[in-house]
Each structure stands twice: as C-alpha cells, then as structure tokens.
Amino acid sequence: MAFDTTGYEQADSGRYLPISEHGLIGDLRTAALVGANGTIDWYCCPRFDAPSVFGSILDADRGGSFELAPEVPTRTRQFYFPDTNVLITRFFAADGVAEIQDFMPVVDEAREAARHRLIRRVLCVRGTLPFRARIAPRFGYGAEAHTTRLEGHTAVFRSPSLTLALTATVPLESDGLDVWSHFKLLEGESHVFALDRVGDDVPARSCPRAEAQEQAEATVRFWRHWLAGSRYQGRWREMVNRSALVLKLLTYAPTGAIVAAPTTSLPERIGGERNWDYRYVWVRDAAFCVYAMLRLGFTAEAEAFMGFLDERGIMRGAGATGPLQIMYGIDGRSELPEYELPHLEGYLGSAPVRVGNAATGQLQLDIYGALIDSVYLYDKWGQPISSARWDEVGAVADWLCEHWDQPDEGIWETRAGRRDFVYSRLMCWVALERAMRMANRRGLPADLPRWRESRDAIYRQIMRRGWSARRGAFVQALDRDELDASLLMMPMAKFVSPTDPKWLSTLDALTTDLVSDSLVYRYNAATSPDGLHGPEGTFSICSFWYVEALARAGRLEEARLAFEKMLTYANHLGLFAEEIGPTGEQLGNFPQAFTHLSLISAAFNLDRALG
C-alpha cells in the first residue's frame, strides 16, 4: 500500500495538530512525537513513564515543546527513512526545500544509553530557507521550575529532577527559561541540534555535524538489521514492517517490557473524560505482542518479555485479585496510583489529564488466557519453557479452576462494576486448554483431570448462558442480549469453528450492530453502560479482528475489502491510534501497540487464506 502523503499547511494547524499528524522516534527506553510541522510536542525522559519534558500535545501553552521550522510559509510532508524509525519532515517553500531528520541513537553502552540523545539534523536540499528554532522544556508535566544557562552553542536546562543539555551548530539566545535561534540555510548546508540527558554519570558532549551524520547512519543500520529478521513476505509487507517497527519502538530494552502506547491522556473522544495513561505494561497487550513478534520470527523480543515475567516474578504474585494484576510498570512495579494534572488543559481541552492508572486494581480474568497462550506459543515456536516457568503455569491453572466462575471488569476495563463477561470466560478456557496442550505435548506433570473438568465446565456455560437464542448470537455477558466485539476472538482462540452455524450467526449479528464501513465499535455504550459519559469512536483492534474473523469464515472478498479500507485510516506514516472517530480522525493514545499487533495478525492470516 502507498501511504497518504497529503501536505499539511502549517498556517492551518492551530494550537493543536491532529493526533495523526505525528511520527514516533525512540531509543527503546523512551520516545518522542514529532509533528508534521516540525515540532516535538511529546517527550518523556529518561523513560516512557517519566514526567514529560515536552508536553504541548496536552497543553499548548504550559506543556513545553521543541519547535524547528522555516520562517516562511511551507507545505510539509513526513516519511520514514525506508525500513527504519528515522523520521524525515520535508518543507517545501517558494524559495527552497529543506528537511529535518529526527532520530534517537540506539546504543548498548550503559552510559551512552543513559544519555537518551535526541538528534535533529536540518538540511537545505534546494534553494535557501530561513529557519527558527525554539526549545521550551517544561519539566515535570509542566509543573516543575527550571533554569537555563547558556554557554556559546550549548544550553543547559536544569530542574530539581532532571538536567538536559542542548548543543547546536548555530548561535543560541536565551531569556533564562527558553532558548531560540534564527538562521539561514543555503543549498547543501546543514545544522544540528542534539538534546542529551546529562548528570554526574553522563557528562555533556557536543554533537558536530560529522558525528550527527555518523550516528544517523548507525541508527539506520540498527533498524534495518533488526527488521531483516522478519519472515513476513506477503502482500502487505510495507504496513506489516511498519507495525513491527512500532512494536519494537514500544519495547523497554532494560527489562523487555512492552508499553501499550508511549502517551497519556490523548482522548478517545474530544472534550470527553475517556483519557487514560497507557505508558505501562498491560499483560494482555504484551502477551498479544509476543504472538505478533513470534509470527514474524522475532523470538528475541518474545524471550525478553518472558525474562520480564521471570525476573519480576509476575506470575508468582499473590494480590487481592489473584496471581496477576492487569498491568505493571515497565520496571515490574505493581503500584501505579492514578492522579490528575489539573494545571494542564488536555488535548483540545479534553480534561482530565491523568498519570497512573487505577485499573490496576481491577479483576480481568481474560489476562490469564492471553498470558498462558503466549507462553504456549513461545514454548512451541521459541524455546521450551523452563521447569520453574511450568510450575508457574500450573499454579495459575490451579487458581483458575477455583476462580473462573466470577464476575469481573472485563477486557475493556469498564468502570460500572463487575459483570459475567463471556470474553473473560472464553480466555479462562484458553488458559486451561493451552496449559493442557503443553502438559500433553511435553509430558509435564499436571492435574489434568481437574483442569479438564474446569475447561469443559467453562465451555458448557458459554454455550448455554453465553448464547442468546433471541439475538442468534453469542453475547457480551451471561444471560444477556447485548453484543461485544471481543467475541470476534472466539474462532481465533479455537473455541469454536470459524464456520460453526452459531458463530456465523454471531458474525452476522456483530456486522449488523457494531460494524460501520470496515470500522467496529467495542459495544453499544447506550445499552451496555460502562460507567463513563459520552460515546466513543470505533476501536481499531476490533476492526482488524473483524477482518480475521471474515477470512477464517471463508468470506475472503469481504475480508480483503475491509482490510484495505482499514489501511486507509492509517496516518501518512502508516501509524494507528487506539480509535477512529466519526469522520475518520484518529483518537486515543498514539501509536497503540494493540492496533498494530492486530494488523500484523490480520495481514498474516488473510494473506495465508488468499494463497
């Protein structure tokens, strides 16, 4: 597929760019959003879940930003250096053409990795262009004071919690808070801005043009070498490769954790309250990421996540809601207290801005199926799991035998109380079924009669109470009639045949009630209250699940058309946020791992079905 490269007029961008008008760069420890206007308006340092330094995407006045752009009217276009996460923003003006190359070097050496260097190379490729730069950090989500000391071509921004050093090849000016520069580039000329975290362990260091070019070339080599490990050679290689690069960018290398998204509080509805912090490790999301990575042949990433589970004792927990909680910090911590930042207005006024996530205290039984399925797949496609890991799997399966038959908050983390969600039961069935497969295939010790009894009881309950004869469909909760898009996972989880009459009837009902064009709503909030105000957009992972369900049901023409339509909702770089709004706009945290991993799965299985 060819990406949409529609030009963006800077003059019309307003105070906030559309969420989709951004690209992502990172160093496998943190990440930054770069707008199509050349402004970095989201950057947390030194890690994904650290307080923001640039956060103008959440408050244009108080959030802080790194602006870099020509001082004349331009059209801009963005693209990634092919097969990499090096982002290029091009500016087209009456008197010339210039570009910014944005990237963060990925390094192994501990001290250089701790620098979290962010490099911006600006080059004039034709004619001449005047440029302006303004670097306005606002530490601690815009709540922490800082000072700025200027020494020639270096500026040091110092706050109580973090010190950053900006080195540039152009003269800088400062008012003691922000730094700016005005300069002109002639054809063939370039300048460099490099932003580093500095401290006692990381001394300040300049970044001359030659070094910036060397680091750019090294960063290109890193990403291309990594991507060369992909086994996917199908029809949608460009989109699948981009999704794989996104998932890798969302990996926290020191622990192997995978964040759900690099942002917080980008709204699911403009002006609404559905604003959450996604900079943590959801067990469900990360487990599905392991599946996607294994599908593509990236076993090292799956192994790193298994290491995260092992070293942090994730499967050996004993919390109030069971062995697992639904999410963890990227360092494995279990406490993620949720609070609001009332001094920030939120994206386009969409308050509140939240940090932390109170959903950690929820019971979501489906996570056990997602996790044990990922362990099963790793054992099958990666490395055989250890005896200690099997003991953990057995303990989880034993716990589920006692606790599967209870209400929970469900996959969508509703805040309207617990219910008997069918999807939660489905994934409990998956957990026990996959554990039994591992035990049988490898001859591992297990209480198979007990696991089988519970597995079969779940199956019978879903078939009896999770099926609505009135709707002719499997339903959201036991003994109810509302539908839910999570049930699209039923054939993918191998709970039901993709051509079973009951499933085909369910697929038709979901198409009628929850599908708009190729887009799929999670549920109808009017008939299934979730404890929050207002409607939401369509959920992109569900849209790709729908594609896969159609393909597995043999409706290949419908599946292919729905998939191609979904790809048109990607942004100009091939990136997806969490949701798609009523007029095709991207909503929610961006880019979202869940969406990209489901794109990979849909592409892989649709391609195989098409032959």
Side-chain angles (χ1 to χ4, degrees):
M1 172 187 174
F3 295 145
D4 175 19
T5 53
T6 303
Y8 300 110
E9 292 292 340
Q10 286 179 253
D12 298 330
S13 62
R15 295 175 68 241
Y16 293 93
L17 284 178
I19 292 171
S20 62
E21 290 191 18
H22 290 87
L24 185 73
I25 60 173
D27 64 356
L28 306 184
R29 288 163 173 82
T30 187
L33 290 183
V34 184
N37 59 359
T39 296
I40 297 176
D41 55 16
W42 182 253
Y43 174 57
C44 299
C45 187
R47 28 188 260 177
F48 290 110
D49 58 355
S52 63
V53 174
F54 303 131
S56 60
I57 198 168
L58 295 179
D59 193 308
D61 300 322
R62 291 178 287 273
S65 63
F66 189 151
E67 300 175 18
L68 181 58
E71 292 190 293
V72 295
T74 61
R75 293 177 298 107
T76 68
R77 290 183 178 178
Q78 271 186 328
F79 66 99
Y80 279 109
F81 201 98
D83 294 335
T84 78
N85 282 314
V86 175
L87 184 65
I88 299 176
T89 306
R90 308 203 90 200
F91 299 88
F92 300 85
D95 296 324
V97 179
E99 67 183 37
I100 300 171
Q101 298 175 2
D102 285 303
F103 63 96
M104 297 180 70
V106 182
V107 294
D108 292 326
E109 198 274 318
R111 188 168 76 171
E112 284 307 301
R115 186 178 298 280
H116 303 290
R117 170 161 278 189
L118 194 162
I119 294 179
R120 314 200 72 185
R121 300 179 69 210
V122 55
L123 307 88
C124 184
V125 296
R126 300 182 70 181
T128 179
L129 280 177
F131 267 80
R132 58 175 173 80
R134 187 173 189 88
I135 301 88
R138 297 293 182 266
F139 294 87
Y141 301 111
E144 200 172 89
H146 76 275
T147 60
T148 300
R149 187 183 78 253
L150 191 61
E151 295 179 358
H153 288 196
T154 300
V156 178
F157 306 98
R158 190 179 303 277
S159 77
S161 61
L162 180 67
T163 300
L164 298 177
L166 174 78
T167 60
T169 57
V170 296
L172 301 173
E173 300 178 70
S174 175
D175 58 6
L177 187 66
D178 300 340
V179 169
W180 62 87
S181 179
H182 298 269
F183 56 94
K184 179 175 287 189
L185 280 174
L186 304 180
E187 186 170 324
E189 291 183 338
S190 66
H191 282 298
V192 175
F193 295 83
L195 188 67
D196 295 344
R197 171 193 167 270
V198 296
D200 294 337
D201 58 330
V202 184
R205 183 162 61 83
S206 65
C207 186
R209 293 177 182 84
E211 181 179 342
Q213 182 170 345
E214 290 171 3
Q215 292 197 321
E217 293 169 354
T219 304
V220 166
R221 287 195 302 272
F222 171 84
W223 289 114
R224 286 186 164 174
H225 175 76
W226 179 81
L227 189 60
S230 173
R231 292 200 300 251
Y232 182 81
Q233 301 292 326
R235 293 167 174 81
W236 297 283
R237 187 176 179 185
E238 192 171 5
M239 290 298 291
V240 168
N241 282 353
R242 179 51 52 198
S243 292
L245 286 164
V246 169
L247 294 184
K248 182 64 172 177
L249 267 182
L250 299 182
T251 301
Y252 183 64
T255 65
I258 304 168
V259 298
T263 56
T264 180
S265 300
L266 293 182
E268 298 174 18
R269 175 175 173 263
I270 302 301
E273 64 173 338
R274 299 171 185 265
N275 317 318
W276 316 109
D277 193 346
Y278 277 15
R279 299 170 298 158
Y280 307 113
V281 186
W282 266 255
V283 169
R284 176 191 312 107
D285 299 41
F288 285 156
C289 277
V290 168
Y291 165 79
M293 288 297 196
L294 286 170
R295 270 292 186 208
L296 298 178
F298 295 114
T299 56
E301 283 65 31
E303 183 175 353
F305 179 67
M306 292 299 158
F308 171 75
L309 296 176
D310 185 51
E311 293 172 17
R312 270 71 191 170
I314 301 299
M315 295 179 68
R316 299 189 295 274
T321 58
L324 296 176
Q325 65 182 44
I326 70 165
M327 76 181 85
Y328 298 86
I330 56 177
D331 53 5
R333 71 188 189 282
S334 57
E335 298 296 324
L336 303 172
E338 182 180 301
Y339 59 95
E340 297 179 3
L341 301 176
H343 64 283
L344 297 180
E345 71 172 9
Y347 177 80
L348 285 174
S350 302
V353 172
R354 292 184 174 98
V355 172
N357 202 304
T360 49
Q362 289 190 355
L363 174 66
Q364 296 177 21
L365 291 169
D366 69 283
I367 63 176
Y368 293 96
L371 184 61
I372 291 185
D373 192 37
S374 72
V375 174
Y376 161 76
L377 293 171
Y378 178 72
D379 181 71
K380 181 179 179 181
W381 293 340
Q383 295 292 328
I385 62 171
S386 66
S387 57
R389 177 61 43 75
W390 176 247
D391 289 342
E392 294 171 357
V393 169
V396 168
D398 288 338
W399 183 87
L400 276 178
C401 289
E402 295 288 333
H403 296 90
W404 66 265
D405 191 12
Q406 61 177 312
D408 69 347
E409 277 87 2
I411 181 177
W412 308 131
E413 298 176 4
T414 59
R415 300 198 175 191
R418 294 180 179 179
R419 298 173 65 186
D420 291 304
F421 289 106
V422 171
Y423 180 77
S424 298
R425 299 294 202 276
L426 167 70
M427 296 307 287
C428 288
W429 179 90
V430 167
L432 294 171
E433 199 274 339
R434 301 305 191 266
M436 291 173 64
R437 283 197 197 189
M438 278 189 282
N440 286 323
R441 190 178 73 249
R442 292 188 48 199
L444 296 168
D447 191 350
L448 289 177
R450 184 187 186 203
W451 294 2
R452 183 177 297 109
E453 181 182 2
S454 295
R455 181 200 66 181
D456 293 349
I458 298 170
Y459 181 90
R460 286 191 291 268
Q461 186 187 79
I462 292 175
M463 286 299 183
R464 187 177 68 253
R465 299 175 57 197
W467 168 262
S468 168
R470 191 183 75 82
R471 296 302 309 272
F474 291 106
V475 289
Q476 182 183 63
L478 300 180
D479 307 317
R480 302 292 292 266
D481 287 333
E482 298 87 1
L483 301 182
D484 193 294
S486 63
L487 301 179
L488 289 163
M489 280 290 291
M490 292 182 102
M492 287 183 268
K494 304 188 186 309
F495 177 86
V496 66
S497 164
T499 57
D500 186 295
K502 280 190 171 182
W503 170 248
L504 293 178
S505 178
T506 301
L507 185 56
D508 288 339
L510 291 169
T511 300
T512 300
D513 280 29
L514 298 180
V515 178
S516 172
D517 194 31
S518 65
L519 303 173
V520 181
Y521 291 93
R522 292 187 287 184
Y523 48 83
N524 184 339
T527 58
S528 304
D530 55 15
L532 298 166
H533 298 292
E536 62 169 8
T538 55
F539 214 66
S540 294
I541 187 174
C542 298
S543 301
F544 286 117
W545 284 349
Y546 180 62
V547 169
E548 197 161 342
L550 289 172
R552 289 172 183 264
R555 294 158 61 173
L556 295 183
E557 288 302 317
E558 291 178 67
R560 185 166 189 175
L561 181 59
F563 188 71
E564 293 288 358
K565 284 183 177 180
M566 269 304 297
L567 297 186
T568 69
Y569 290 105
N571 82 341
H572 56 291
L573 299 167
L575 307 184
F576 284 92
E578 182 175 34
E579 300 189 7
I580 304 296
T583 57
E585 70 275 17
Q586 298 212 31
L587 297 171
N589 285 307
F590 174 87
Q592 193 210 27
F594 227 175
T595 302
H596 284 278
L597 65 90
S598 64
L599 184 157
I600 291 171
S601 180
F604 187 94
N605 287 291
L606 178 58
D607 199 70
R608 184 170 59 182
L610 289 168

